[in-house]
Amino acid sequence: MPLNDLDPDGIDKAAKACEEKGCVIVYGGPVKKINETNGGESKRTLIVSDTFITFVKKPLFPSLSHTRSWSDLVSVKTIDNNGL
């Protein structure tokens, strides 16, 4: 069975890319990122670590986007009971 079948959302690769930056992963899972400019949605992996929170694009070749360290966090907006 190909590796992609075991991890279709690329969560393991996303977590590994973040761990290589020296952090401890607290949570990783698939999410829909709401685009800031047009309100559309994009599939991403959300990684929450002990030092930062980030979206990860491209499951086969992970790249971090919208990465924020916890010291930079100024607010959290609750959309509903199931999301932020």
Side-chain angles (χ1 to χ4, degrees), residues 3-11 43 59-60:
L3 180 60
N4 289 343
D5 290 346
L6 298 174
D7 187 20
D9 295 313
I11 297 169
K43 185 177 177 182
L60 295 178

Side-chain angles (χ1 to χ4, degrees), residues 6-81:
L6 298 174
D7 187 20
D9 295 313
I11 297 169
D12 289 341
K13 285 188 177 190
K16 183 177 179 181
C18 291
E19 287 173 338
E20 289 173 352
K21 298 195 175 295
C23 66
V24 176
I25 304 299
V26 177
Y27 172 82
V31 294
K32 290 182 184 175
K33 175 191 161 290
I34 299 172
N35 297 330
E36 297 169 2
T37 54
N38 63 11
E41 296 178 347
S42 302
K43 185 177 177 182
R44 297 285 188 266
T45 299
L46 175 69
I47 298 289
V48 179
S49 76
D50 61 340
T51 56
F52 61 82
I53 185 169
T54 191
F55 288 110
V56 182
K57 301 191 279 187
K58 302 179 184 175
L60 295 178
F61 304 100
S63 64
L64 282 57
S65 70
H66 295 79
T67 302
R68 301 290 183 261
S69 71
W70 287 112
S71 63
D72 294 335
L73 186 67
V74 292
S75 68
V76 176
K77 179 181 176 185
T78 302
I79 295 173
D80 58 33
N81 292 337

